[in-house]
Amino acid sequence: MADRRLVCLAALALAFTGCGGGEARPPQQATHASGAGGTGGTGGSGGSGGTGGAPPPAQGRVLTGADDGFAGRLTVGQTARLRLPLPEGGPEPTAEGDAVLLIRISNVTGTGHREWELRAVHPGTARIRVPRPSTPTPATLTLTVT
């Protein structure tokens, strides 16, 4: 009787932890905290990594000046972040269009970076111009809000 209970408990534990089979989930796309590397939609290719030519989701991503050409999507209320290695008082990113608000995060001090929240507020498209200290032309990020 005790052996049967032990077997049932083991089977329940496997079922609740997901170790009993099923489909494997693809790994989530990582975000990066430095200016090196990209987030999957870089290089001016339009960033169409989604199905059917739709831009990839931008929610939760940390974007930088290295993401020049990134095109992503957000729904109203979703956010992404923009992190730049710019000194206090340096050039600010700008937004073209009213689909996304650039909200300065002021509690990121002493890190050598400044950070903004990119908050989707209206359906439409916004182009974010990101100053880059290493080049005179800004990076451009395009966010489509639905």
Side-chain angles (χ1 to χ4, degrees):
M1 184 75 146
D3 289 336
R4 184 181 296 177
R5 287 184 197 160
L6 185 58
V7 169
C8 288
L9 285 174
L12 281 173
L14 286 174
F16 284 121
T17 60
C19 296
E23 292 183 33
R25 288 187 228 163
Q28 290 188 352
Q29 181 131 7
T31 60
H32 61 284
S34 70
T39 58
T42 62
S45 64
S48 58
T51 58
Q59 180 179 9
R61 289 188 184 229
V62 178
L63 301 166
T64 70
D67 291 306
D68 189 17
F70 175 81
R73 72 178 187 279
L74 294 168
T75 58
V76 172
Q78 290 182 334
T79 63
R81 290 188 308 174
L82 176 61
R83 183 177 296 155
L84 302 175
L86 297 173
E88 285 297 326
E92 300 272 331
T94 57
E96 247 178 61
D98 64 350
V100 173
L101 288 179
L102 279 170
I103 302 168
R104 175 80 158 94
I105 300 173
S106 61
N107 64 350
V108 183
T109 57
T111 62
H113 291 86
R114 291 190 297 162
E115 204 166 309
W116 289 261
E117 177 182 284
L118 305 173
R119 182 180 299 168
V121 292
H122 298 292
T125 301
R127 282 192 172 55
I128 311 297
R129 305 269 187 230
V130 181
R132 297 185 286 184
S134 60
T135 178
T137 58
T140 302
L141 313 172
T142 304
L143 296 170
T144 302
V145 178
T146 57

